[in-house]
Amino acid sequence: MSKLIKGIGASEGIAFTKVLLIEEVELDLTKKKSVAEDEIKLFNNAIEKAVKQITKLISSAIKNNLGEEKAAIFEAHLQIANDPSMTQEVITLIKTENCNAGYALDKVSKKYIAMFEAIDDAYMRERSADIKDVSRRMQMIIANKAEVDLSAISEKVIIVAEDLTPSQTAVLNKKYILGFATNIGGRTSHAAIMARSLGIPAVLGLKTITKDVRNGEILILNGQKGYVIINPTTEEINEHKTLLVEEEKTKELLKKFKNKKTLTKDNVHFELAGNIGNPKDVVAVNEAGGEAVGLFRSEFLYMESDQWPTEDTQYESYKESLVAMKGKRVIIRTLDIGGDKTLNYFKFPEEMNPFLGYRAIRLCLDRKEIFRTQLRALLRASMHGQLSIMFPLIATVKELKDALKFLDKVKAELDTEKIAYNKNIEVGMMMEVPAAAVIADKLAKYVDFFSIGTNDLIQYTMAADRMNETVAYLYEPLNPSILTLVNNIIQSGKKHNVWTGMCGEMAADHLAVPVLIGMGIHELSVSASSILRTRAQISQLTIKDTQELAAQVLECETAQEVEKLVLAFNKKVETC
Ligand code: PEP
Ligand code: MG
């Protein structure tokens, strides 16, 4: 019998194929009485196999030109796997305590990890991640288990998992991954954002999907309506095949907007830009006729790497995106790490509320060597196109001034070294903290532009976690509090000649677009898959009508009232 389960539609599109269930492999590392001789054999075998696996990784890194950095990391892994003192300590523990190899390896590796983490040197501290990695590899061999390598999937599947981290999503191959469904997450979680930028249909927040479905079962996934159907009937399959054909037709119809400017019905131009996570995503933005890149989430470069990316590596990536955009503006946001975006080579402090904690500009202002490397790379790359720098998560005037002061210092360093950069480089800030939105008027004096990050602005204003499906009812883009803040940002910007864009997901919300246009937003930056649909919608609007609508919605008391007004407005526009 088929079973329909509702979740949150996170990336539109319909997919229909078999399931690949990704389960976190749990290892039992508790202490057990064992025969020492057998356990030592198991342990030696794990070393031998781990060494073979790592050696293979080194040769494929070289063969696939993944760069010396990647190969060097695996070389370090090889040294760890072969480390005589660690090996000897594990064997001695097995012998003296007659315990299992898994427990002994866990105990010894934890000691080494703690030792490295205590060293007062960032590079050495980060080596603890390598020890974790190698010891996990050996533990998997000891337990005779295997982990799924998402980048190696070579048949068409829908991935079902508890959650997908941003770095897991970053390696998904669109050719084979037709969709994904997860227990947790919502429309603005990073897995959702990545899905949209890759154009992979996704339904998140399904709560128990990993329990409801088995590996290999057939699944229909509707990313727009937000549901999945397990073991669909023939009628359900046929019905969705028809929907797929309709979807293709709509895509065909939208193609006529591809190489057009984004103009309202009364010929006013708005810049419609695309959001990207790495330079390769520029292809999709260009294909959809994006007029700029409104948000390059530079943290994905850091997450896809095994160590802090060097100045040169970053420079090459930024340059690649600028060259690919052929002179059109590319706004690169400085490192916005923390929250749900972690790095396997950097240990974040244990925090009760990581989204309110040590992240983004806070971390960069504290770890200036990391910030400096990125700013140098950005400034150098600014010679290759129209690069704008944007600071994330600014909450106060002081934070903004500190960031700008440091940027000036880095510019001065480059001047001394006679390294060229664009002296008129535009600098802006994300508007995603309510405190900043309230004092937009004061912040506007120091920047060239604002870009409203509604994904965070909504969660912080409504005190509703953007990843938590149980409080999703509070996460309302059309809530009067959000509309008031957005309007305040736009009007404050205008007063100081500062243009305002929006790069949060609200920018592609067909209920928000006419309101934003009416408020006078200058730019909308959306995922590549939403560009043509948004341009088509804008082509039906007139400034006068949207201004009237914006004035009306600002008087509303609830999101539901706003929604009613906009739905009626959109209906009238479509029938005109
Ligand atoms: C936002 O918060 O709206 C935003 C664009 O940034 P991110 O989604 O990466 O937090
Ligand atoms: Mg944000």
Side-chain angles (χ1 to χ4, degrees), residues 190 193 295 297 333 341 430 432 453-456 466 504:
H190 285 97
I193 290 166
L295 169 65
R297 289 183 164 92
R333 175 172 77 183
K341 292 179 279 195
M430 293 279 296
E432 50 185 348
T454 49
N455 306 340
D456 279 322
R466 66 196 255 190

Side-chain angles (χ1 to χ4, degrees), residues 152-447:
I153 293 171
S154 56
E155 57 173 341
K156 292 186 172 165
V157 289
I158 291 177
I159 290 184
V160 172
E162 168 72 14
D163 185 20
L164 289 175
T165 62
S167 33
Q168 277 176 314
T169 339
V171 300
L172 296 182
N173 183 342
K174 199 180 154 183
K175 194 164 144 205
Y176 299 115
I177 316 295
L178 301 193
F180 64 80
T182 60
N183 288 348
I184 65 170
R187 259 197 76 73
T188 58
S189 60
H190 285 97
I193 290 166
M194 283 303 282
R196 283 195 289 279
S197 84
L198 289 165
I200 297 179
V203 180
L204 311 186
L206 286 154
K207 298 190 178 93
T208 54
I209 187 69
T210 50
K211 301 252 175 337
D212 301 325
V213 77
R214 280 199 301 263
N215 214 15
E217 273 183 323
I218 296 294
L219 196 74
I220 287 178
L221 183 150
N222 187 330
Q224 183 168 19
K225 297 260 164 68
Y227 63 77
V228 294
I229 304 176
I230 305 169
N231 286 327
T233 60
T234 318
E235 287 97 81
E236 283 165 336
I237 292 175
N238 289 337
E239 192 189 313
H240 285 83
K241 276 188 182 160
T242 315
L243 283 176
L244 255 175
V245 173
E246 278 168 19
E247 212 176 63
E248 287 308 315
K249 270 195 208 148
T250 314
K251 272 191 198 155
E252 265 315 299
L253 283 175
L254 286 176
K255 275 190 184 156
K256 73 170 187 212
F257 289 98
K258 202 170 146 178
N259 294 317
K260 295 229 168 100
K261 273 187 147 189
T262 309
L263 296 173
T264 56
K265 204 171 170 181
D266 46 352
N267 271 327
V268 178
H269 178 241
F270 285 86
E271 188 170 85
L272 190 54
N275 293 345
I276 64 169
N278 71 53
K280 304 271 175 291
D281 296 342
V282 169
V283 176
V285 173
N286 272 332
E287 256 171 31
E291 292 162 83
V293 167
L295 169 65
F296 179 161
R297 289 183 164 92
S298 69
E299 56 275 13
F300 282 92
L301 284 180
Y302 291 72
M303 290 190 291
E304 287 160 18
S305 176
D306 294 316
Q307 58 187 334
W308 294 109
T310 61
E311 183 182 318
D312 282 345
T313 312
Q314 293 190 52
Y315 163 78
E316 290 300 336
S317 280
Y318 305 148
K319 178 179 160 190
E320 192 183 332
S321 64
L322 288 158
V323 170
M325 283 307 286
K326 300 188 185 93
K328 293 182 209 156
R329 183 196 286 130
V330 178
I331 301 180
I332 305 185
R333 175 172 77 183
T334 60
L335 181 61
D336 182 5
I337 205 73
D340 64 334
K341 292 179 279 195
T342 55
L343 302 171
N344 58 19
Y345 50 88
F346 177 71
K347 194 170 181 310
F348 286 85
E350 297 281 331
E351 293 178 312
M352 293 286 280
N353 294 300
F355 267 97
L356 300 180
Y358 187 63
R359 53 170 291 209
I361 198 72
R362 302 166 184 190
L363 184 147
C364 286
L365 289 173
D366 182 48
R367 298 285 302 264
K368 293 267 179 34
E369 73 286 5
I370 296 169
F371 204 20
R372 168 181 287 109
T373 306
Q374 180 167 41
L375 293 176
R376 284 181 64 99
L378 286 167
L379 288 169
R380 282 173 54 202
S382 69
M383 295 304 286
H384 300 282
Q386 200 189 332
L387 189 157
S388 305
I389 295 178
M390 174 157 74
F391 300 126
L393 210 79
I394 296 287
T396 64
V397 171
K398 176 166 186 323
E399 245 175 4
L400 177 60
K401 280 184 163 176
D402 286 350
L404 289 169
K405 199 165 141 201
F406 192 64
L407 176 63
D408 281 343
K409 195 169 163 215
V410 178
K411 282 182 184 172
E413 278 174 22
L414 293 189
D415 286 336
T416 315
E417 292 168 44
K418 302 219 172 345
I419 296 176
Y421 62 91
N422 174 9
K423 304 256 167 173
N424 298 316
I425 193 163
E426 252 195 335
V427 183
M429 60 168 278
M430 293 279 296
M431 272 288 181
E432 50 185 348
V433 179
V438 172
I439 56 159
D441 193 27
K442 298 184 168 51
L443 290 158
K445 290 182 217 153
Y446 304 98
V447 285

Side-chain angles (χ1 to χ4, degrees), residues 52-241:
K52 273 195 193 142
Q53 288 177 2
I54 300 167
T55 312
K56 225 167 130 189
L57 283 172
I58 297 174
S59 37
S60 83
I62 295 168
K63 203 171 98 207
N64 298 327
N65 276 331
L66 294 185
E68 278 171 30
E69 270 173 11
K70 275 234 162 63
I73 289 168
F74 295 130
E75 296 280 2
H77 285 197
L78 206 52
Q79 274 179 20
I80 296 167
N82 279 319
D83 185 81
S85 4
M86 242 176 102
T87 306
Q88 199 44 54
E89 278 186 50
V90 175
I91 291 176
T92 310
L93 193 63
I94 297 176
K95 275 186 189 159
T96 50
E97 301 199 11
N98 281 316
C99 62
N100 45 321
Y103 166 78
L105 173 60
D106 187 46
K107 195 159 177 202
V108 173
S109 55
K110 275 189 179 142
K111 186 187 104 180
Y112 277 84
I113 289 165
M115 229 161 69
F116 273 85
E117 279 173 354
I119 300 176
D120 192 18
D121 174 285
Y123 179 80
M124 293 309 276
R125 262 199 316 272
E126 282 141 24
R127 299 286 63 79
S128 64
D130 294 332
I131 305 178
K132 270 186 214 157
D133 199 318
V134 175
S135 111
R136 169 94 185 162
R137 183 183 294 284
M138 300 216 285
Q139 293 286 14
M140 294 289 284
I141 300 169
I142 292 171
N144 201 13
K145 291 187 172 166
E147 225 142 21
V148 183
D149 175 2
L150 293 183
S151 62
I153 293 171
S154 56
E155 57 173 341
K156 292 186 172 165
V157 289
I158 291 177
I159 290 184
V160 172
E162 168 72 14
D163 185 20
L164 289 175
T165 62
S167 33
Q168 277 176 314
T169 339
V171 300
L172 296 182
N173 183 342
K174 199 180 154 183
K175 194 164 144 205
Y176 299 115
I177 316 295
L178 301 193
F180 64 80
T182 60
N183 288 348
I184 65 170
R187 259 197 76 73
T188 58
S189 60
H190 285 97
I193 290 166
M194 283 303 282
R196 283 195 289 279
S197 84
L198 289 165
I200 297 179
V203 180
L204 311 186
L206 286 154
K207 298 190 178 93
T208 54
I209 187 69
T210 50
K211 301 252 175 337
D212 301 325
V213 77
R214 280 199 301 263
N215 214 15
E217 273 183 323
I218 296 294
L219 196 74
I220 287 178
L221 183 150
N222 187 330
Q224 183 168 19
K225 297 260 164 68
Y227 63 77
V228 294
I229 304 176
I230 305 169
N231 286 327
T233 60
T234 318
E235 287 97 81
E236 283 165 336
I237 292 175
N238 289 337
E239 192 189 313
H240 285 83
K241 276 188 182 160

